[in-house]
Amino acid sequence: VTITIAGSPIVVTRDREGRIQAFYNTCRHRGARVVGAECGHARTFQCPYHRWTYGLDGSLLSVPGEEAYSATSFDRADFGLVPVPVDTVAGLVFCRPSPTGPSLREFLGAAAVELIEGVLQHGNFEVFEHRRRRHAVNWKLWPENLRDGYHVPFVHPRTLSPISPPGQYEILGNGHAIQRLGATQANLPDDVWHRLTADPLPGVEPAEGWNMTLFPDTIVFLRGNVIFVDRQNKLGWRETELDCRVLGLVGDTKEQHQNRLQSWHTWYEDPISIEDDPVVNEQQVGLCTMGPQYSLIARGHDADRGYRGDDNRLRTFWDAWRQWMGAAENAWRPELI
Amino acid sequence: MTGLELFTEEYDLEPAVRALGVRAVVHASAYSQAAFDAETVRRARSPSPAPS
């Protein structure tokens, strides 16, 4: 699988023994991206430029015309793909481009890990849909929007608002939070409600749900019959890709996929693409101004839990930014901005 | 100065906004090209620590 994190192309591999590793997807020769495919199966990776070939473990296996380096100290063993620290929770793979920092479980915290494992360990999940959509805004506006419950009745009055009465959020630490949602049938046709609640995931009530916002750019959504993981991927200072993977159960029928996709459309794709996108775009336009030079995130109290109209989750996002991105080793990396 | 301070302390905010406190405000530069420009200036003015 290839992904981009903070502008860096990364390839994640799983070998025959199931070992997962991640590497910068950058050839050690002249810097070309080695793997262009989004996902797939391979025994080796070959750079398209000069055919340097790497193993799944990142080792440099072959170099065409290697003898031309004989006058130098060149050793293939020194030029494998550069590894990226990687870890998993219940099958979700997380990369940490920084060489230093807490472990994944320390960073996520016990509560977040327990919630993720509590759902994903009940079944054998797989990604059955992968959608990406580009937006001409700074990437941080999307994590903010997805932590902002204040706008829901105004921007989503006929979509999300009627089926998701205000739920409590909980601050999980390190910029992470969870908002619990209980779906209701009000204003929904029976057939739509049926598709939203059909084929519930094992261990999950049909109308149960939560959004787990993980700092900085990942959100895990649980709905009664579907899980989806969204990354707000920064491509440029004003270019963001929402990268969403939809999870179902291995062995699902086509109809079950359709039901899960209906939930995904209802809870995520349609409101975001039709309703959130225009207002977030207006926010980007409005903030590029010589007028008001700020965005207010003052609503509500600083507390461990509260209602979704508060800005507390936005403040904890920026607290985490100060803590993690403001660290000395990151202060010199404008690519993160 | 690092991180969030980049987006708040360097800029003149009107008193009513500043009075809300640093944590209640995100400066517009956090979402703009200005943040890159500010980093560039900072790099030019200060000796850069070795990238980790």
Side-chain angles (χ1 to χ4, degrees), chain A residues 157-236:
Chain A
R158 284 178 293 280
T159 53
L160 292 180
S161 194
I163 58 172
S164 61
Q168 266 206 335
Y169 68 78
E170 297 167 37
I171 301 298
L172 300 177
N174 286 344
H176 316 312
I178 183 168
Q179 183 186 342
R180 298 182 187 280
L181 299 164
T184 56
Q185 192 174 359
N187 302 327
L188 280 179
D190 286 346
D191 62 324
V192 176
W193 177 252
H194 172 72
R195 286 199 297 272
L196 287 180
T197 54
D199 304 308
L201 299 172
V204 179
E205 293 296 321
E208 182 183 350
W210 43 251
N211 300 348
M212 185 182 294
T213 47
L214 301 176
F215 181 84
D217 63 356
T218 301
I219 303 184
V220 181
F221 296 82
L222 167 72
R223 295 296 181 270
N225 63 0
V226 69
I227 293 171
F228 38 101
V229 181
D230 177 74
R231 283 188 59 231
Q232 305 93 54
N233 193 19
K234 181 227 160 195
L235 300 179

Side-chain angles (χ1 to χ4, degrees), chain A residues 207-265:
Chain A
E208 182 183 350
W210 43 251
N211 300 348
M212 185 182 294
T213 47
L214 301 176
F215 181 84
D217 63 356
T218 301
I219 303 184
V220 181
F221 296 82
L222 167 72
R223 295 296 181 270
N225 63 0
V226 69
I227 293 171
F228 38 101
V229 181
D230 177 74
R231 283 188 59 231
Q232 305 93 54
N233 193 19
K234 181 227 160 195
L235 300 179
W237 79 266
R238 194 173 178 172
E239 187 175 12
T240 302
E241 182 180 72
L242 296 188
D243 179 310
C244 194
R245 288 174 164 84
V246 188
L247 278 65
L249 294 167
V250 173
D252 273 347
T253 63
K254 190 175 179 182
E255 183 183 1
Q256 286 170 319
H257 278 171
Q258 289 299 322
N259 288 336
R260 302 195 198 292
L261 274 182
Q262 172 76 44
S263 287
W264 175 71
H265 271 282

Side-chain angles (χ1 to χ4, degrees), chain A residues 91-107:
Chain A
L92 298 183
V93 180
F94 293 79
C95 297
R96 189 193 66 197
S98 173
T100 59
S103 71
L104 175 61
R105 284 168 191 271
E106 289 171 337
F107 179 62

Side-chain angles (χ1 to χ4, degrees), chain A residues 140 144 237 295 319 332 334, chain B residues 23-24 26 30-31 33 36 43:
Chain A
K140 293 186 291 299
E144 285 193 352
W237 79 266
S295 167
D319 287 342
W332 300 89
Chain B
R23 291 183 66 249
V26 182
Y31 317 99
Q33 182 70 43
F36 291 88
R43 284 185 186 210

Side-chain angles (χ1 to χ4, degrees), chain B residues 7-8 11 16-17 20-25 27-29 33-35 39 41 44-46 48 52:
Chain B
F7 306 135
T8 53
Y11 297 90
V17 176
L20 292 172
V22 168
R23 291 183 66 249
V25 179
H27 197 273
S29 62
Q33 182 70 43
E39 282 289 339
V41 169
R45 287 179 179 168
S46 307
S48 172
S52 56

Side-chain angles (χ1 to χ4, degrees), chain A residues 99 138 140-141 144 234 237 284 287-288 292-298 302 315 318-319 321-322 326 329 331-335 337, chain B residues 2-7 13-14 17 20 22-28 30-33 35-36 39 42-43 46-49 52:
Chain A
N138 184 271
K140 293 186 291 299
L141 292 177
E144 285 193 352
K234 181 227 160 195
W237 79 266
Q284 180 70 66
L287 285 166
C288 294
Q293 294 285 294
Y294 53 83
S295 167
L296 287 188
I297 52 172
D302 291 330
R315 288 194 293 278
W318 286 104
D319 287 342
W321 178 279
R322 181 159 40 199
E329 65 269 26
W332 300 89
R333 301 177 63 189
E335 69 270 22
I337 295 170
Chain B
T2 60
L4 193 61
E5 289 91 339
L6 172 69
F7 306 135
L13 294 170
E14 58 188 279
V17 176
L20 292 172
V22 168
R23 291 183 66 249
V25 179
V26 182
H27 197 273
Y31 317 99
S32 78
Q33 182 70 43
F36 291 88
E39 282 289 339
R42 212 143 60 89
R43 284 185 186 210
S46 307
S48 172
S52 56

